[in-house]
Amino acid sequence: MPAVRVPSVTVAHLPDDVHLVDVREVDEWAAGHAPGAQHLPMSQLAGRLTEVPRDREVVVVCRSGHRSAHVVAYLRHLGWHNVHNLDGGMQEWAAASRPMVAEGGGPPQVL
């Protein structure tokens, strides 16, 4: 089966009002994530589909953009037309000096 291209957006072109869904696992999220992002681990996605908005633009993020691309392809297959992948994931987010927070108050980092 050929690779499916998923719509994506770069950190530099990320709209301010977009709904960001972080699909990384709990330890990755706790180490550092975008303020205001929704945490929805990829491993829990199938059972929590109703939590993914259909009425606004959604950008899905992981560490590098690989897992989130799979999630976007899956959601599009299921009928979500408002989802995009964040190119480069949280690594690019951090490289662009975008704000990050960590659980527990320590310095945020991308795992």
Side-chain angles (χ1 to χ4, degrees):
M1 181 163 90
V4 175
R5 274 187 69 100
V6 298
S8 62
V9 63
T10 63
V11 172
H13 293 101
L14 190 65
D16 291 334
D17 61 345
V18 74
H19 184 83
L20 195 63
V21 174
D22 191 322
V23 296
R24 297 175 301 148
E25 295 304 320
V26 174
D27 60 328
E28 295 171 291
W29 167 266
H33 58 270
Q38 174 188 6
H39 186 216
L40 182 56
M42 184 177 179
S43 63
Q44 298 175 16
L45 181 66
R48 295 176 59 187
L49 288 172
T50 59
E51 297 178 39
V52 180
R54 289 182 178 264
D55 61 348
R56 61 189 294 202
E57 290 301 307
V58 174
V59 173
V60 182
V61 62
C62 66
R63 180 176 181 265
S64 66
H66 184 75
R67 285 176 286 177
S68 53
H70 285 283
V71 169
V72 169
Y74 175 67
L75 290 171
R76 288 206 163 239
H77 175 75
L78 294 177
W80 272 261
H81 299 292
N82 59 323
V83 293
H84 298 80
N85 187 39
L86 184 63
D87 281 341
M90 287 303 295
Q91 291 174 326
E92 286 299 318
W93 181 277
S97 298
R98 297 291 295 257
M100 289 176 49
V101 293
E103 302 297 311
Q109 62 179 325
V110 177
L111 293 184

